[in-house]
């Protein structure tokens, strides 16, 4: 793995963050005098930012908010989420062992997420995961965000890697399309937040548990090296 860079999405890929995101959304609803929603109702919007989750939660109650009200809801969401960022969020089974193994083999690891960088870093810090990554970029870090491929290639540059020897790991259409646009192989996890089966977006490999990731990476690096 020496010389290879593995780039991971965060929400729904490295960490199951939905419980704490749902809690922040329901905090907003409670302040608006509305009933809580189920976690499953916001999953499709996790990768699109807090505002989308708020709008979807309000829509579930048949409500729309004007820009000023939305800004107030957003500020309330962010304050609650920052204070409770890792109450129930947990790394997916097998990921810590996989990250440790790849590091020992000489791989450079990075995170490319549309989450705000400050929140991504705070979450990984709280879970003692930051130490695994040579680079971390959020949707506000580089002036572009996924699915723009420059978000991914910019992350690789910060990790001192090269696109020719990089692999993306993600859970969504956005992750897969980003990697494809950058001409980088992509491993899709099927346990994340994608509404549609990840197979419908034609990733290079699909895994159901992180125990399968080493084999997937080995096959992709071998194929890439043979080109």
């Amino acid at each position: 793995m020496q010389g290879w860079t593995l780039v991971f999405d965060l929400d729904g890929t490295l960490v199951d963050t939905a419980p704490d995101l749902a809690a922040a959304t329901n905090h907003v609803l409670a302040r608006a005098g509305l009933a809580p929603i189920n976690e499953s109702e916001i999953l499709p919007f996790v990768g699109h930012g807090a505002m989308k989750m708020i709008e979807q939660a309000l829509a579930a109650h048949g409500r729309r908010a004007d820009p000023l009200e939305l800004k107030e809801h957003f500020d309330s969401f962010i304050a609650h989420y920052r204070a409770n960022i890792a109450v129930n969020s947990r790394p997916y089974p097998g990921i810590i062992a996989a990250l440790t193994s790849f590091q020992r083999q000489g791989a450079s690891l990075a995170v490319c997420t549309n989450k705000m960088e400050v929140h991504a870093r705070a979450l990984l810090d709280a879970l003692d995961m930051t130490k695994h990554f040579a680079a971390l970029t959020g949707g506000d870090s580089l002036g572009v965000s996924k699915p723009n491929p420059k978000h991914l290639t910019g992350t690789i540059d910060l990790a001192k890697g090269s696109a020719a020897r990089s692999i993306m790991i993600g859970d969504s259409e956005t992750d897969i399309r980003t990697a494809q646009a950058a001409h980088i192989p992509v491993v899709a996890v099927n346990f994340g937040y994608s509404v549609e089966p990840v197979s419908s977006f034609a990733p290079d490999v699909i895994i159901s548990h992180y125990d399968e990731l080493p084999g997937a990476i080995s096959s992709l690096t071998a194929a890439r090296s043979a080109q």
Side-chain angles (χ1 to χ4, degrees), residues 99-212:
L99 295 175
T100 302
S101 176
F102 288 131
Q103 281 186 293
R104 286 174 178 165
Q105 295 174 62
S108 180
L109 309 179
V111 175
C112 178
T113 174
N114 278 347
K115 201 181 199 75
M116 291 173 62
E117 182 179 338
V118 65
H119 295 156
R121 196 171 297 279
L123 173 63
L124 293 174
D125 283 348
L127 297 173
D128 194 30
M129 295 177 68
T130 309
K131 62 189 178 186
H132 294 289
F133 301 104
L136 184 161
T137 63
D140 58 339
S141 301
L142 301 175
V144 293
S145 59
K146 297 179 296 184
N148 190 316
K150 290 182 180 179
H151 188 183
L152 174 54
T153 56
T155 304
I156 293 167
D157 289 343
L158 287 173
K160 303 189 185 314
S162 68
R165 292 174 67 82
S166 294
I167 296 170
M168 175 79 187
I169 300 94
D171 74 306
S172 69
E173 178 181 10
T174 298
D175 297 322
I176 296 166
R177 299 298 185 221
T178 302
Q180 290 169 339
H183 306 291
I184 289 171
V186 57
V187 176
V189 302
N190 64 8
F191 46 75
Y193 302 151
S194 180
V195 178
E196 301 296 327
V198 289
S199 58
S200 61
F201 310 121
D204 295 278
V205 181
I206 298 171
I207 62 171
S208 301
H209 191 283
Y210 275 114
D211 289 351
E212 302 168 22

